[in-house]
Amino acid sequence: MDWRKLTTISEFDNIWMQSLTQGSAFVLFKHSTRCMVSKMALRSFEADYVNDLPAYFVDLIQYRDLSSHIASITGIHHQSPQVMTIKKGAVTYHASHYSICAHTSSKV
C-alpha cells in the first residue's frame, strides 16, 4: 500500500484545504504503534484496500499533536486505530477499532 505519511499540522491543513476547495477526497488512517488492535486493523485494512484515493497515515505515538489537531478540525473524537474518509472538507466515513473496513472507507 502506498501510504503518504503525515507528520505536521501544516501538511494536514494543506490536504484538508485542497479537499475543501477542489472537492477532492482522501483516506486517513490513525495508527498506534504500541497497540495490537491497531496493528491488526492496519494489516486488515492494507490487505483489503483497493482504491485510488490518496491514503494518508498518522503515527499517533510520534505525532500526538497532529492527531489532536485532526480531531479538532474534523469534529471526530480521537480513537486508535481510526480511519476516516474526507471529501469536500467533510468526513464522509469514519470508524475505529474492529469496525474499520477498507471497502467502506473507499466509498465517497
Side-chain angles (χ1 to χ4, degrees):
M1 176 141 187
D2 187 25
W3 289 112
R4 300 174 188 192
K5 294 185 178 178
L6 289 178
T7 60
T8 68
I9 289 172
S10 64
E11 287 173 334
F12 174 77
D13 288 348
N14 287 337
I15 62 170
W16 177 268
M17 287 306 296
Q18 184 178 20
S19 174
L20 186 62
T21 59
Q22 298 176 10
S24 57
F26 64 94
V27 172
L28 178 69
F29 195 101
K30 295 165 70 177
H31 172 65
S32 170
T33 55
R34 295 182 188 160
C35 173
M36 191 52 100
V37 172
S38 190
K39 191 174 198 173
M40 291 172 58
L42 178 62
R43 282 185 188 161
S44 176
F45 186 88
E46 289 176 329
D48 293 341
Y49 190 77
V50 286
N51 197 303
D52 46 354
L53 289 180
Y56 293 89
F57 179 91
V58 177
D59 177 337
L60 301 176
I61 303 302
Q62 200 166 12
Y63 303 105
R64 182 62 185 207
D65 60 331
L66 172 58
S67 178
S68 296
H69 178 74
I70 292 167
S72 173
I73 296 296
T74 62
I76 305 297
H77 178 74
H78 164 78
Q79 294 192 43
S80 169
Q82 186 174 51
V83 69
M84 57 183 79
T85 304
I86 298 170
K87 183 176 183 180
K88 297 181 181 178
V91 176
T92 59
Y93 167 80
H94 69 92
S96 64
H97 297 86
Y98 296 108
S99 298
I100 292 174
C101 175
H103 297 294
T104 308
S105 69
S106 61
K107 295 178 184 175
V108 288

